[in-house]
Amino acid sequence: MAILLYQSALLAGVTTDITAGGIAGGGTYLLTVCNRSAGAIPVSIAITTGGEPTDASWLEYLTPVPAAGSGKNVLSRHPVPLGEGWRVFVRASGDGLAVNLIGREE
């Protein structure tokens, strides 16, 4: 079993495929979004089986991630079961978010 890590610093208004084209191995993952900025930033998260996100792909939509230093500045989702080749997309409404997806290939 391999441990897999995908991560990205998000840019405002850009939908980012943090898996860079798809998960290398199916498994169970932990997804965290950390806010490094002084204000709350809404984030949207989608999962697809290989294509670009559609209206039905979004798991979170404009969910606010509180400001750094608030003690609540991390949005965490676990377990996130993903199949090989699946893609995880994240879009931030402002600059200052970092996203990490870490899991164990099954």
Side-chain angles (χ1 to χ4, degrees), residues 44-70:
S44 300
I45 302 166
I47 295 177
T48 73
T49 57
E52 297 294 317
T54 65
D55 288 346
S57 303
W58 298 97
L59 302 177
E60 302 271 348
Y61 203 80
L62 297 177
T63 302
V65 181
S70 68

Side-chain angles (χ1 to χ4, degrees), residues 1-6 23-29 82-85 102-106:
M1 283 193 205
I3 301 291
L4 301 174
L5 173 66
Y6 303 90
I23 295 288
T28 303
Y29 292 80
L82 298 170
E84 185 174 342
I102 186 168
R104 184 177 306 271
E105 181 181 20
E106 295 173 356

Side-chain angles (χ1 to χ4, degrees), residues 8-11 33-37 39-44 63 65-66 73 90-99:
S8 184
L10 302 175
L11 299 174
V33 180
C34 178
N35 187 350
R36 303 179 326 270
S37 74
I41 298 176
V43 65
S44 300
T63 302
V65 181
N73 64 314
V90 184
R91 181 173 57 223
S93 296
D95 290 328
L97 295 184
V99 62

